[in-house]
Amino acid sequence: MPAHLGMAQAREVDMAMIERIARGGLLEDDSRAAKLQRLTRRLVETGGALPDVELAQARDDGFDNAQLVAIVAEIAHCHFTNSFNRLARTEPDAHFPAWP
């Protein structure tokens, strides 16, 4: 098991939720995780150019400026590592689901 999944399990994170997210599923409740997922998807879809109403909603949902910066930084980190690994033709770890 990859280290980050082991750490999540050790912190008693809902592993069914993690699997659902990893397979591209949506969290449809009003939990912080669902709000984070929706916000992250919108940031990716808009390239960070959220309309004012959505940025206000993110703040109403409890995401402060430092957290917004951290979320954007993680999106950039994932984009970089994904792009680099595609260029390097790195084989995905076996635990990742096959993507279409």
Side-chain angles (χ1 to χ4, degrees):
M1 171 182 296
H4 60 280
L5 291 178
M7 289 187 298
Q9 250 180 349
R11 289 175 175 79
E12 299 181 357
V13 173
D14 179 353
M15 297 310 286
M17 177 187 69
I18 297 295
E19 183 175 342
R20 184 174 184 180
I21 293 169
R23 294 191 181 280
L26 295 175
L27 303 176
E28 298 178 8
D29 58 17
D30 201 35
S31 67
R32 182 154 173 90
K35 291 174 183 178
L36 175 59
Q37 184 189 41
R38 287 190 293 272
L39 172 59
T40 302
R41 283 176 172 256
R42 287 297 296 150
L43 286 166
V44 170
E45 290 168 356
T46 65
L50 288 181
D52 290 342
V53 68
E54 291 182 51
L55 182 56
Q57 182 63 56
R59 290 193 172 115
D60 287 346
D61 287 343
F63 297 102
D64 63 24
N65 286 341
Q67 292 166 326
L68 292 170
V69 169
I71 294 164
V72 170
E74 185 55 28
I75 292 168
H77 170 251
C78 290
H79 182 75
F80 171 79
T81 57
N82 288 341
S83 297
F84 183 85
N85 284 315
R86 286 183 190 113
L87 179 66
R89 292 175 172 63
T90 304
E91 288 294 319
D93 292 337
H95 66 276
F96 285 108
W99 299 106

